[in-house]
Amino acid sequence: MSAIDVLWLPGELASVRAGARTTVVIDVIRATTSITTALAAGAERVIPALTVVAAREAAARTEGSLLCGEREGVAPPGFDLGNAPGEFDRATVAGRTLVFTTTNGTAAVEAVRGAGAVRLGCFRNVGAVARAVAGDAARGGCGVSILCAGRRGRVSMDDAWCAGHLVTRFVQTVGGATLTDGARAAQALSAELGPPTAVGLARTAAGRALCAIGRADDLRACAAVDDLAVVPVRRDGAIVSDRGSEGGEEDV
């Protein structure tokens, strides 16, 4: 029987044994949505970096890489790309290594370095992630932790919303799963909010911040559901694509 937990903030990692579990990192607005989009568009790998300085250094060591990410929602000076899903099209990123740093998402990815399997989720690949995690659980009998990146140390409603959808998909896929209070609360929130929409995401703190800098259009991609079959997975310090066996991946 698999146990599924939702950690509403990275600070909760101190209370779990991440090494024995599959961990799914979620940062809907926008890091995990953008990384999933980039890998679906043919990016070879994504190297997460905790700071802008670390990202610059990693890019300098990686020939032909693209330096990507944001601080305060916009690309730092000298970066090739920001953190908007629409920037990561096939013509731009296919076959390339991306060095990626964001305010919240890549910090959450770095926080689970010691976890067993680390996958990235968003609304765009929620079904594919549920199937992949169910496979992890079936093979290893491990539990599942869904980690919400949050925003500046506070709970982020968009991440918890997506986590709740993932909990529901996982329960539908794996019989006999047990849920922690964190998982039940996320599931209840997602049931109350319903399917994601750009308008709904615009009401979250992260969504309002994007609208304030003129990036409201990014929310359309963040609110898309199940249009990608790619499941980003961390291997050897980088994030690469683990394509789901089902799903309607589009050419981005």
Side-chain angles (χ1 to χ4, degrees):
M1 182 177 294
S2 299
I4 185 165
D5 191 13
V6 172
L7 310 179
W8 290 55
L9 287 171
E12 294 186 60
L13 283 166
S15 65
V16 301
R17 296 176 60 186
R21 304 172 68 86
T22 291
T23 300
V24 180
V25 178
I26 293 176
D27 182 16
V28 170
I29 304 174
R30 294 168 289 175
T32 58
T33 301
S34 291
I35 290 171
T36 301
T37 302
L39 291 173
E44 181 178 349
R45 60 179 179 152
V46 176
I47 300 173
L50 191 58
T51 66
V52 170
V53 170
R56 293 186 194 280
E57 292 173 347
R61 293 191 302 267
T62 309
E63 185 176 356
S65 62
L66 293 172
L67 186 55
C68 313
E70 56 76 31
R71 287 299 183 272
E72 301 300 327
V74 299
F79 273 45
D80 299 299
L81 299 170
N83 185 30
E87 295 180 272
F88 301 96
D89 58 28
R90 189 168 296 277
T92 304
V93 305
R96 304 292 293 273
T97 293
L98 312 183
V99 178
F100 218 97
T101 183
T102 69
T103 306
N104 303 297
T106 54
V109 172
E110 291 294 277
V112 293
R113 273 181 175 270
V118 176
R119 300 182 182 276
L120 273 59
C122 60
F123 283 116
R124 298 194 75 171
N125 70 345
V126 65
V129 170
R131 293 188 294 272
V133 169
D136 292 341
R139 286 188 297 271
C142 61
V144 179
S145 293
I146 302 172
L147 175 62
C148 300
R151 183 172 184 268
R152 297 179 178 174
R154 304 294 300 274
V155 168
S156 186
M157 188 169 73
D158 49 292
D159 295 344
W161 192 352
C162 184
H165 276 270
L166 181 54
V167 170
T168 296
R169 296 293 188 91
F170 184 79
V171 169
Q172 292 168 347
T173 305
V174 178
T178 60
L179 306 183
T180 66
D181 283 359
R184 290 185 182 278
Q187 191 178 38
L189 174 67
S190 70
E192 175 68 22
L193 294 174
T197 64
V199 171
L201 290 179
R203 297 190 181 110
T204 70
R208 291 194 300 272
L210 271 191
C211 293
I213 60 171
R215 300 298 316 185
D217 285 350
D218 293 353
L219 297 175
R220 293 194 182 96
C222 295
V225 178
D226 277 339
D227 65 332
L228 298 178
V230 167
V231 179
V233 59
R234 184 159 191 162
R235 292 190 184 130
D236 300 323
I239 301 165
V240 297
S241 172
D242 181 8
R243 293 179 184 273
S245 59
E246 304 174 34
E249 180 186 349
E250 65 178 15
D251 189 10
V252 293

